[in-house]
Amino acid sequence: MRIGELAERAGTTTRTLRYYESRGLLQARRAENGYRTYDEGDLRMVRQIRTLQDFGFDLEETRPFVDCLRAGHPAGDSCPASLAVYRRKLGELDTLIDQLQSVRTEVGAQLARAELEASAVVPGGPEPRCELNREDEDR
């Protein structure tokens, strides 16, 4: 297949495929007329790269998976280098999850404090000055 068909079937652009080629992740063969040609293995490779990028892997992190596919492993992720990238990525994700849980706890505590303050308005006292109330006062 030619580059346009590969791009369409892989759900990407020809520009992206040329970029992958320039980075050594995709290897085009040339037909007699000079056009790039690709096969089903190339489609599998591009789909693997795109899936990993959708999961948050940067382009260079996909290289071991591409190498694994080229070595003949059908899934591209059963080679030691691919497994190492998975392990490293899981560690990064665990760290991010921990950070997000910490931020969520802090935001929840701030919300609880703010709701408590909002419910403790003294009857007959001045109304709290909130952004929305300031707009009303300007009128």
Side-chain angles (χ1 to χ4, degrees):
M1 74 187 89
R2 292 190 15 203
I3 193 167
E5 182 182 351
L6 177 61
E8 184 178 326
R9 290 183 62 193
T12 191
T13 65
T14 57
R15 182 177 180 192
T16 298
L17 296 178
R18 287 186 194 99
Y19 181 68
Y20 291 169
E21 187 178 338
S22 74
R23 298 294 305 269
L25 294 169
L26 186 61
Q27 297 173 342
R29 288 157 301 285
R30 296 285 179 164
E32 288 181 22
N33 59 7
Y35 291 143
R36 291 173 170 89
T37 61
Y38 302 92
D39 60 22
E40 293 297 320
D42 296 315
L43 176 61
R44 193 170 40 257
M45 207 166 303
V46 173
R47 285 181 175 161
Q48 177 83 8
I49 292 167
R50 303 283 299 160
T51 298
L52 291 168
Q53 287 192 300
D54 288 346
F55 291 160
F57 290 68
D58 66 39
L59 192 57
E60 198 54 39
E61 288 174 316
T62 68
R63 190 171 300 280
F65 298 88
V66 169
D67 293 342
C68 194
L69 283 169
R70 283 188 184 137
H73 299 272
D77 61 0
S78 59
C79 297
S82 302
L83 297 171
V85 172
Y86 273 153
R87 287 186 194 100
R88 187 171 50 251
K89 184 56 77 175
L90 278 176
E92 291 172 12
L93 291 170
D94 288 340
T95 298
L96 288 171
I97 289 168
D98 290 345
Q99 290 171 349
L100 286 172
Q101 286 177 330
S102 176
V103 169
R104 188 189 189 291
T105 298
E106 288 179 35
V107 170
Q110 290 292 343
L111 173 61
R113 179 200 50 76
E115 287 177 333
L116 187 60
E117 279 182 23
S119 68
V121 174
V122 178
E127 201 173 312
R129 292 185 56 95
C130 298
E131 292 296 320
L132 293 175
N133 291 341
R134 283 187 187 158
E135 289 176 2
D136 292 339
E137 289 175 4
D138 292 340
R139 290 184 189 163

